[in-house]
Amino acid sequence: IAGFNLEGPASRPVLIRVVGPALAAYGVAGALVDPRLTLFRGDTLIATNDDWEKNSGATAATFSALGAFALPSGSKDAALFLNLSPGACTDRTSCAAGTTGIALIELYDAGPL
């Protein structure tokens, strides 16, 4: 579980990523094989993603524009690109394959792109 608080007077675009399989390219052993990103505000589900290229709003161009390293096409890493209103949120990362492992959770303030 990772939490963050978005401050300010208005909604803003953010990129949230849960990187597991792509960590192997950086020598990380035991990475989470199929992370699922599930974003909550309190007990209210905001959004979820399992496999960044499917229904995430995130693209390779978004990653590049924000300075995030590329994720391989077809990888099982998870991401969400969305507008969030101010307030506290949590990502409750799990594994779609039902296993455990190491994952990197990233948050990028996309501001105006």
Side-chain angles (χ1 to χ4, degrees):
I1 296 175
F4 62 92
N5 188 45
L6 191 64
E7 295 182 354
S11 296
R12 59 189 315 117
V14 297
L15 170 66
I16 306 166
R17 303 195 316 176
V18 179
V19 181
L23 293 176
Y26 299 94
V28 176
L32 197 60
V33 297
D34 191 359
R36 179 183 295 133
L37 191 166
T38 308
L39 188 64
F40 287 88
R41 177 159 285 138
D43 289 329
T44 303
L45 175 66
I46 297 173
T48 188
N49 179 258
D50 178 27
D51 304 342
W52 72 273
E53 291 177 298
K54 300 175 184 171
N55 305 313
S56 72
T59 64
T62 305
F63 301 158
S64 178
L66 295 174
F69 62 87
L71 296 177
S73 182
S75 77
K76 297 285 188 178
D77 302 289
L80 286 170
F81 184 65
L82 69 167
N83 280 309
L84 282 180
S85 58
C89 294
T90 57
D91 164 40
R92 301 178 194 170
T93 294
S94 61
C95 184
T99 62
T100 60
I102 298 167
L104 172 65
I105 300 172
E106 303 174 309
L107 174 67
Y108 295 86
D109 180 352
L113 286 179

